[in-house]
Amino acid sequence: MDVFSRDVLVVGGGGAGLRAAIAVAEANPRLSLAVISKVYPMRSHTVSAEGGAAAVIKPEDSFDEHAYDTISGGDWLCDQDAVEAFVKEAPAEMLQLEHWGCPWSRQPDGRIAVRSFGGMKVERTWFAADKIGFHMLHTLFQTSLKYDALQRYDECFVTRLLVDDGRCRGVVAIEVATGRIFAIAAKTVILATGGCGRVFPFTTNGAIKTGDGMALAYRAGAPLKDMEFVQYHPTGLPFTGILITEAARSEGGWLLNKDGYRYLQDYGLGKPEPKPVLRSMELGPRDRLSQAFVKEQEKGRTFEGPYGHYVHLDIRHLGEELIDRKLPFVRELCRKYVNLDPVKEMIPIQPVVHYMMGGIHTDIHGATPLPGLYAAGEVACVSINGANRLGSNSLTECLVFGARAGRAAAGFAAEQKESNPAVFAQASDEQKRLEESLLRKTDGKERIASLREEMQKTMEACAGIYRTGAALQQAAQDLHQLQERFHDLRLEDHSYTFNTELTGALELSFMLDVGEAIVASALARRESRGSHQRTDHPQRDNEKFLAHSLAYRTPEGLPRIDYLPVTITRWPPGQRVYGK
Amino acid sequence: MSAEAHYTRYHPQWYRRRVSVWWWLQSWRYTKFVLRELTSVFVAFFAVITLWQLRALVDGPQAYTQFVRGLKSSPLVAVHGVAFLFVLFHSISWFHLAPKAMVMRLRGKRVPDWVIVGLNYFAWLIASGTIAWLLLRG
Amino acid sequence: MGSREKLPPTVTLAVTRYRPEEESEPTLQTYEAPYRKDWVVLDALNYIKDKVDGSLSFRWSCRMGVCGSCGMMVNGEPKLTCAAFLSDYLPGPIRVEPLQFFPIVRDLVVDMTDFLHKLKKVKPWVVREEERPLSEGEYRQTPEQLDIYKQFSMCINCMLCYAACPIYGLEPGFVGPAAIALAQRYNLDSRDIGAQERLDILSGKDGIWECTFVGECTKVCPKNVDPAGAIQQYKLTGAAHWFKSVLLPWGRK
Ligand SMILES: Cc1cc2nc3c(=O)[nH]c(=O)nc-3n(C[C@H](O)[C@H](O)[C@H](O)COP(=O)(O)OP(=O)(O)OC[C@H]3O[C@@H](n4cnc5c(N)ncnc54)[C@H](O)[C@@H]3O)c2cc1C
Ligand code: SF4
Ligand code: FES
């Protein structure tokens, strides 16, 4: 088996991974550095982000305002030291991206333009029309090409972390194009593999967002934090789940039920005004908006379509000129995928799984409890998002904590000695496992797709917008059974060349682990907070649950839940007030 | 057919397709492109004829009458007809490409393609009109 | 479920298979997939992979036309399969093949490492005399200045333009539409001064002069990048430079 060795290995070529890699290259150009990614970096799902990225820039804004919006938006489950570091470093990171060429939208005098966003009290969301993730990712990728020290393993799928002597020492991966299995021994590994929306059936997330990094770390002994907090975005297109960005509402779009009524006013989100009001109505936080949809559906005030219930997002009154200038992608997507022009018609939308607040537990420098292992981006939980992320905070998070993890990992790597040969035995074990249990496996009767569908249905039924203990209990059992059935997988593809059935199987097994962690964490949290709403425990309970849940994998494979207190610096828990 | 002899595990065995010499017949759009390229021969043809004509003019009235008589032979008229069609095709296809090569901006806004194409046609009309007037006024 | 009665219940797809371990040439395999009004070709391929034949390989991710993974030839034309609706190809059969002019790795997957090398060669990053410290804020850029290069910055690297370019097919060394458009994107950016550094590769042997203006790249581009325009515009720049260097050899640094 081939073994390569690197000082720092970044797993993932999305916003967080590329930012981390550049930070390593700048912090210490002498380190050998590589980015490994299961798809070409510019295919990473960061590419699909539409709305914008938050950072304080206006004179009337302040770090404290941004911090407060973030903390109250996260229902006080954010670590406030992390949030403070985040808001302070955000503007410099965004400027850095500007210096690297990101085509941010501008004011007439050439300065950066900002827009409002849900749950934010001041306009502070930087944007590039409505393709901000795309521009960010390509800017980072193209800039990364200028660092010769940065080596890439494109389309290489990481299957396992190598751990020895209580430290992470590298990875095993498959080169998808040839089926070659190899190991990279690394002094530090930074996981930046993104989220896991594909655990659910209806999501804005691309096919590659299967929680790989979360499962990799979880299996290697690092805990997953706050996994019960799954964000539903209120405005997805039916069937495809394609996101209609929050920017459509921040520019002034309305949510209307089937009677043409702006129903959010019935859910404590303020009074309807013709112009958008910050932190009010359509600009409330995502958890509240998605929950209001369910209530509206229960009252029978939503439309019924072939792909479930929906309501309308109306942006017609914004006019064609503004839509083309600021929301061109929204128009493009609507025309293409629902065959209507939002300049003239209302857009059907429904809540859709969007983002994982939870992830691998890290400290404020991106370090996980497993020495040598760092994490950043959606895969990590630092935690600045608490129980509900505010739109446009996560792209900035990728930059701020990507850079922090990169610098910290570079520092750590410089102090380490060469890797320990004990890990090579582990690597060949992994190779054997992959070949025997998957590539050369000819028996079995379960199809990947059927197991995946069952898993997704289970997750939607129990871990959706509203949850109950009974349903979660049932789901835990069902997932366990799916884990058993996974061993009886039938694979039709035994080729070594670009075998996407093999990667599909590996992704499914990652998702099953992540699903179990989500369900166990949700079951253990007997309160309602942010995006986690238990109908059997409808109140927030600061006594018992002002704490992060930590899911550890037990030797039997099941999760064990522990808690860690939330760090509070200056903002004691209060009520979340919107629309006032 | 078996590839096993060629295939080595872990080594890519790409299939490279050769572009056939007939690639330009594969779609009408490619054919149009190749035609456009070929028509330049006819543009050259007209240029040569014009040079000849000039030389005949310089050589005196007799040479010129002879030259004009030569032009009137029916095979040459036919060739001219065909050449004219091709040159027409050439000009039209180039007019439609013009906005790609020339991006014009007026007050910060990009001038739409059809305006640029239109301007080309307009210039062409004026030029042809002037020539027609010069030739036919007597 | 809506009004679907009149629609054909299934559609046939003729899909390229190439399994290098078993065969030395690609073949076509036909599959049936259900027809749905709102399905794209990619949905049908996923149906096949999930329910019929797990060994069919292709790339995809975002399903919203922005990640650039899913380009294939659909009935002979380069398309993003996540944006190619089945309804536009009725009654079928629909021919789905790997992108033309690229080496086939497997089934519908082509190799695009060549593009990544070319991309790096055109230096697609901001080149400056010196970096301004972040503390001094942003480089000013008016909306008009942004507008000049914006279109060329919209490239998703989907490779459809290469698959439409016969010149690339005949001369694989050609830098090609997307890479040139991206170089031009930086050349036209008011923050960049790297045009001189990009000149050698762009107007060199495999650069813009290979292009004979077929114009197909622009027609197939799903993001309106207009690479053909980028190349033509650059030809003017390149020609001006050439004249300068020939006529005024001392005028060049
Ligand atoms: C439709 C949509 C719109 C959004 N809009 C916004 C917005 O407007 N504002 C905002 O702030 N946030 C937004 N978000 C959220 C934000 O885009 C994501 O949280 C963020 O981009 C995540 O970036 P990342 O770098 O962590 O992961 P990703 O970009 O998902 O990258 C993950 C990387 O890891 C690699 N990888 C994964 N598994 C493996 C493996 N096993 N082996 C090797 N490599 C692997 C992948 O190849 C990829 O390169 C949006 C999200 C979506 C889905
Ligand atoms: S220029 Fe257009 S067709 Fe070519 S790669 Fe870019 S987006 Fe695709
Ligand atoms: S799947 Fe991303 S572009 Fe088609």
Side-chain angles (χ1 to χ4, degrees), chain C residues 42 60-70 80 82:
Chain C
L42 180 64
W60 70 290
S61 174
C62 70
R63 209 213 166 274
M64 55 192 280
V66 69
C67 75
S69 312
C70 69
L80 291 181
C82 71

Side-chain angles (χ1 to χ4, degrees), chain B residues 1 3-4 7 13-17 19 23 26 29-30 33 36-37 94 97 100-101 103 105 110, chain C residues 18 21 23-24 77 99-100 102-104 111 148 151 164 166 169 212-214 216 219 226 229 232-233:
Chain B
M1 243 186 288
E4 274 164 49
Y7 176 78
Q13 175 76 43
W14 297 342
Y15 183 78
R16 289 177 191 275
R17 291 159 286 184
V19 180
W23 63 268
Q26 174 194 330
R29 302 203 252 170
Y30 290 164
F33 156 73
R36 191 188 81 213
E37 294 292 286
W94 273 107
L97 290 173
K100 295 272 164 276
V103 175
R105 288 175 183 278
R110 191 171 163 169
Chain C
Y18 171 59
E21 283 126 295
E23 55 205 357
S24 57
E77 270 193 54
L99 283 180
Q100 188 175 232
F102 288 90
I104 308 177
D111 178 77
I148 290 175
Q151 183 175 25
T212 50
F213 210 171
V214 185
E216 279 305 293
K219 289 206 191 97
D226 191 10
Q232 296 319 306
Q233 287 170 34

Side-chain angles (χ1 to χ4, degrees), chain A residues 11-17 36-39 44-46 48-52 117 132 156-158 192-195 204-205 208-209 212 216 243 354-355 376-379 389 391-396 398 510, chain C residues 64:
Chain A
V11 184
I36 183 168
S37 171
K38 67 177 174 181
V39 293
S44 306
H45 207 59
T46 296
S48 69
E50 299 167 23
F117 233 64
I132 172 59
C156 290
F157 189 107
V158 173
T193 56
T204 60
N205 286 193
I208 55 175
K209 298 199 67 170
D212 304 10
L216 287 169
L243 180 80
H354 185 54
Y355 182 84
E378 194 171 340
V379 73
R389 168 182 75 106
S392 79
N393 264 354
S394 67
L395 287 174
T396 315
C398 286
F510 288 149
Chain C
M64 55 192 280

Side-chain angles (χ1 to χ4, degrees), chain C residues 71-89:
Chain C
M72 299 170 207
M73 307 297 287
V74 180
N75 279 356
E77 270 193 54
K79 287 278 176 199
L80 291 181
T81 47
C82 71
F85 281 82
L86 293 176
S87 54
D88 292 335
Y89 298 92

Side-chain angles (χ1 to χ4, degrees), chain C residues 115 154-162 177-178 181-182 217 220-227:
Chain C
F115 169 74
M154 304 303 277
C155 171
I156 61 173
N157 302 358
C158 66
M159 302 294 101
L160 300 195
C161 50
Y162 285 77
L182 283 165
C217 51
V220 300
C221 175
K223 298 288 141 185
N224 295 321
V225 173
D226 191 10

